[in-house]
Amino acid sequence: MRQPPSLSSGLSEQPKAVARLDGSPWTPYWFVAPVVVYLLLFQGYPLLRELMLSFTQTSLLTPEQSTFVGLRNYEELMARPDFWRVIGVTAIYTVVCVVMAISLGLGAALLLDRPFRGRGLARALVTVPWAAPPIAVATIFAWMLNAQYGIFNYVLKLVDLEVGYESWLDNPRLALPAILFTTIWQIFPFSSVVLLAALQGVSEEVREAAQIDGADRLNIFKVAVWPTIRPTVALLALFVTIWSLRRFDLIWVMTQGGPIGATKTLVIDLYTRAFVSRELGEAAAIGMVGLSVALVVTLVYFWATQRAEKAEGRR
């Protein structure tokens, strides 16, 4: 009669089974390798080439004939008064996009989180602006803001609010607000969808407990809702910041950086230097400045995130 295996034999065989399940110690690296190769080929190498190009004087017409000039491209950038205006326009555009997109997105998410008839249809319709192609959105809004037949001026005339600034995209004071309005209209639905998903994770028990304690809606939001969605808001702010720094198509189609540089951001300035002025070295230097700004924003985000996590750990 076959004897059942003893406890000692089972224990002795267990490490072998675990070893077979673990597999080779190189297995995790094999899974990560394709991603690393992709990043090196399509991200790392182009960035390295751009960095090298920023130290040269290279023309788009003769890219094979480049002359090493060291930091001259960066020195000329810093000496250009219009470049600091580009930095200012980029900062204003980015900050307004982040603040307004997240604020409107949070407001829409809070409304869509409440039960009402037709909520499913409303949640689907709010994603339409984000799903629309940026080129199409820019073209439609450029038509709506047209000085002769645009619907914006038509509505202003109907309500007697015409103030003389009929040409929105040709006016240096109105062009940037018009670009910002178009951008925010398109991107805030993405914020609302992301924040709506975060609101689904808020504990109903915590909300009910705060309500029983007599807290109003504002205090319920501060005590129960905000601590849960705060990490999502921070990550969303990082994404919107980076997307705003690199946005090109919508601005180029509507104004091409004009009028008189009123809507010229770093990306528009880079494109103009590379393909209009045909100075690849200067364009690469502008690109590295933009990359440095994005890296600084990312580092600040991770520093603030770690500091917030440590502060919560001490509580």
Side-chain angles (χ1 to χ4, degrees), residues 33 43 56 71 92 99 134 138 173 183 221 240 270 295:
Q43 298 291 332
T56 65
L71 297 175
I92 294 173
V99 173
R173 287 185 291 180
T183 305
F221 177 81
V240 176
L270 185 154
L295 289 176

Side-chain angles (χ1 to χ4, degrees), residues 2 12 22 31-32 36 73 75 77 80 97-98 108 132-133 161 165 185 219 222-223 235 238 252 266 269 282 289:
R2 186 176 179 181
S12 62
D22 290 343
F31 282 107
V32 175
V36 174
N73 290 329
E75 294 173 353
L77 279 181
R80 280 172 44 197
C97 283
V98 172
L161 289 179
Y165 298 112
W185 178 86
N219 288 324
K222 292 169 59 178
V223 174
L235 185 60
L238 175 64
W252 182 259
L266 279 172
D269 194 22
E282 295 182 9
V289 171

Side-chain angles (χ1 to χ4, degrees), residues 43-296:
Q43 298 291 332
Y45 179 72
L47 287 177
L48 180 61
R49 289 289 300 170
E50 181 181 3
L51 178 62
M52 296 172 60
L53 191 63
S54 67
F55 297 119
T56 65
Q57 182 180 0
T58 307
S59 174
L60 180 64
L61 300 178
T62 56
E64 70 281 352
Q65 299 177 4
S66 60
T67 305
F68 181 79
V69 294
L71 297 175
R72 192 178 73 181
N73 290 329
Y74 294 95
E75 294 173 353
E76 292 180 354
L77 279 181
M78 300 304 147
R80 280 172 44 197
D82 61 320
F83 180 73
W84 292 105
R85 184 184 182 186
V86 169
I87 295 291
V89 171
T90 304
I92 294 173
Y93 179 82
T94 303
V95 171
V96 174
C97 283
V98 172
V99 173
M100 295 303 298
I102 293 181
S103 300
L104 293 176
L106 180 58
L110 290 173
L111 291 176
L112 294 174
D113 189 47
R114 301 179 62 183
F116 61 89
R117 181 176 296 180
R119 184 176 63 173
L121 179 61
R123 289 180 174 181
L125 291 177
V126 78
T127 62
V128 172
W130 173 257
I135 300 295
V137 172
T139 304
I140 292 173
F141 270 85
W143 171 78
M144 295 172 65
L145 293 166
N146 186 273
Q148 297 180 356
Y149 47 79
I151 191 173
F152 275 80
N153 287 333
Y154 178 75
V155 172
L156 290 177
K157 291 178 182 178
L158 288 180
V159 296
D160 295 329
L161 289 179
E162 185 180 2
V163 291
Y165 298 112
E166 296 184 354
S167 186
W168 292 78
L169 299 180
D170 294 330
N171 190 300
R173 287 185 291 180
L174 297 178
L176 184 58
I179 292 291
L180 285 168
F181 178 83
T182 306
T183 305
I184 294 167
W185 178 86
Q186 186 184 25
I187 66 176
F188 96 87
F190 175 79
S191 301
S192 65
V193 172
V194 173
L195 294 175
L196 178 60
L199 288 173
Q200 304 301 311
V202 178
S203 175
E204 290 294 335
E205 290 77 6
V206 178
R207 291 186 181 184
E208 294 175 358
Q211 189 174 5
I212 292 174
D213 291 339
D216 55 9
R217 291 184 177 180
L218 179 59
N219 288 324
I220 291 175
F221 177 81
K222 292 169 59 178
V223 174
V225 178
W226 178 249
T228 303
I229 68 172
R230 183 173 56 189
T232 303
V233 172
L235 185 60
L236 184 62
L238 175 64
F239 286 158
V240 176
T241 299
I242 295 176
W243 291 339
S244 301
L245 288 173
R246 57 184 293 187
R247 184 166 289 109
F248 169 79
D249 41 12
L250 188 146
I251 302 175
W252 182 259
V253 171
M254 294 187 70
T255 62
Q256 298 185 6
I260 321 176
T263 60
K264 181 180 285 187
T265 60
L266 279 172
V267 179
I268 300 297
D269 194 22
L270 185 154
Y271 181 86
T272 304
R273 286 286 166 179
F275 299 102
V276 178
S277 302
R278 299 172 182 176
E279 295 293 339
L280 295 181
E282 295 182 9
I286 297 173
M288 295 309 300
V289 171
L291 177 63
S292 301
V293 173
L295 289 176
V296 169

